[in-house]
Amino acid sequence: MVKGLASQYVFVLLPCYKHDCSHELCGKGKPEKGRLWYENGPPLRNIPFPIPDQKRPWGSEDCTECQSVCSGHFLSPEDNIQHVAKHGTGDCQFSPPSEVIKSAFGKRARQGQLMDENTILTLAKTTLLSKEEVQMWVDHLSCLAKHRQAGAKKAAKSRAKKGTSYTQRKLYYFCQKTDDGSQAMIAFDYPSCKFEWFHFQCVGLQEEEDLVGAWFCRSCTLAP
């Protein structure tokens, strides 16, 4: 697997050509010429991540392709390849817009700050989306966060009503330990999740403010 690629963006497997590898291609040995995307094209290890086109920036008033406000454009595949060959990958956008917005939302939430107009505008220019599209994502994340916080409070009351004996008997996924009240817990979003609740530590969460976006356990992502 090619390492260092953006999370949730792209997944690439290439032959390792090691002599003890069981793969048919590797068994034939490393070819004299590296594998290319197409004839006379770039190597397969060169992933064409999007690069903003500086000649067609966000908010341009001279854009002939956009009917209203221009949200900017990315380089064409051909120009992208030439740019990377000449300047490297420093200008590539390795994270998709949804991840950029989610990261900014989570950071401001941890700081106790709202997503103001300036932040929305900055994110729009960074992701080459319109302000309306960024606002849509922010509204979605805000809605999820509010529902999750409300759900957590409701679940805490429910567990309290059931009493200590119930929570000490029920085992939770991953760790198969009980809820003794010493750890924060998160409810996952799949309606038929057979585990439902997870300790923060078991799923790598540290703070309440990290609870943005929808959450699904490994079993639910494999469910039909």
Side-chain angles (χ1 to χ4, degrees), residues 9-26:
Y9 209 137
V10 67
F11 179 80
V12 178
L13 288 174
L14 295 178
C16 64
Y17 298 115
K18 294 181 179 179
H19 69 278
D20 57 346
C21 181
S22 60
H23 196 281
E24 181 181 356
L25 285 178
C26 296

Side-chain angles (χ1 to χ4, degrees), residues 113-141:
Q113 299 176 342
L114 299 176
M115 300 287 283
D116 56 25
E117 185 69 22
N118 288 334
T119 303
I120 298 292
L121 178 60
T122 299
L123 285 171
K125 292 180 178 180
T126 300
T127 58
L128 298 193
L129 295 176
S130 68
K131 291 191 296 183
E132 292 75 18
E133 289 173 311
V134 174
Q135 186 65 59
M136 179 191 69
W137 275 102
V138 170
D139 291 343
H140 171 66
L141 293 172

